[in-house]
């Protein structure tokens, strides 16, 4: 069955449900896990609210460093959970990428056979306004995707 599972997390409670499912599945299958967090590009709303930000390389670098530190903490926490369960694990952080694209590209690059991702399962206007990274991963992925709610 699956020998390599990629699980995406942003450190949220919902993402931790996905992580728990991935760890349980990996343990059952004697599979390894790659834990991934993706930090998005500098938010465009920041440029709209404060146009001076778009010309400040220092602000972009501060943002990048802050996001990298947060990502490192998220991945380290998740790695500790997997190791505590006796699962072989590695961590990965992808910077400046949309989450869905980063997840799918990481699965391909690292030859994962399954992607695990959590989703709120929003519908209607909420889905239109907030988008759905899980839905985008489903549409882009060439490997199976387990969506945890």
């Amino acid at each position: 069955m699956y020998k390599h599972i990629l699980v995406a997390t942003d450190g949220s409670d919902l993402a931790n449900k996905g992580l728990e499912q991935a760890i349980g599945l990996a343990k059952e299958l004697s599979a390894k896990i790659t834990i991934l967090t993706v930090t998005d590009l500098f938010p465009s709303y920041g440029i709209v609210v404060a146009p001076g930000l778009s010309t400040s390389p220092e602000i972009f670098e501060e943002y990048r460093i802050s996001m990298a530190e947060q990502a490192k903490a998220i991945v380290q926490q998740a790695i500790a959970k997997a190791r505590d369960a006796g699962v072989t694990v590695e961590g990965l952080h992808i910077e400046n990428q949309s989450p869905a694209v980063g997840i799918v590209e990481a699965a391909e690059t690292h030859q994962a056979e399954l992607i695990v991702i959590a989703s709120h399962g929003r519908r209607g206007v909420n889905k239109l306004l907030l988008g759905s990274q899980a839905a985008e991963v489903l549409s882009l992925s060439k490997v199976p995707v387990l969506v945890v709610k």
Side-chain angles (χ1 to χ4, degrees):
M1 189 115 224
Y2 305 115
K3 295 295 178 197
H4 185 191
I5 300 168
L6 183 134
V7 58
T9 183
D10 60 6
S12 67
D13 290 341
L14 180 62
N16 283 331
K17 288 182 183 180
L19 177 63
E20 289 169 13
Q21 288 290 317
I23 290 170
L25 187 59
K27 190 168 181 147
E28 227 15 74
L29 299 173
S30 298
K32 76 174 185 175
I33 292 180
T34 296
I35 296 169
L36 169 69
T37 193
V38 180
T39 50
D40 213 339
L41 301 167
F42 191 78
S44 58
Y45 63 80
I47 294 170
V48 172
V49 172
L53 295 179
S54 64
T55 59
S56 173
E58 295 83 14
I59 295 293
F60 281 107
E61 184 60 12
E62 286 176 22
Y63 175 80
R64 189 196 66 74
I65 290 169
S66 174
M67 295 304 289
E69 289 171 354
Q70 290 176 38
K72 182 178 180 182
I74 289 166
V75 170
Q76 285 178 340
Q77 263 186 337
I79 286 172
K81 287 180 185 179
R83 284 190 178 143
D84 287 347
V87 173
T88 302
V89 60
E90 70 174 322
L92 182 61
H93 169 223
I94 296 176
E95 289 186 291
N96 299 323
Q97 183 65 269
S98 74
V101 171
I103 291 164
V104 171
E105 286 180 358
E108 289 176 15
T109 301
H110 294 271
Q111 300 176 330
E113 300 159 319
L114 175 70
I115 296 171
V116 177
I117 188 169
S119 175
H120 287 97
R122 292 184 176 104
R123 298 192 184 282
V125 174
N126 282 337
K127 183 177 178 184
L128 282 174
L129 293 175
L130 299 172
S132 173
Q133 294 302 317
E136 192 172 346
V137 168
L138 280 167
S139 71
L140 295 173
S141 181
K142 295 176 184 166
V143 299
V145 179
L146 172 62
V147 179
V148 177
K149 289 174 121 182

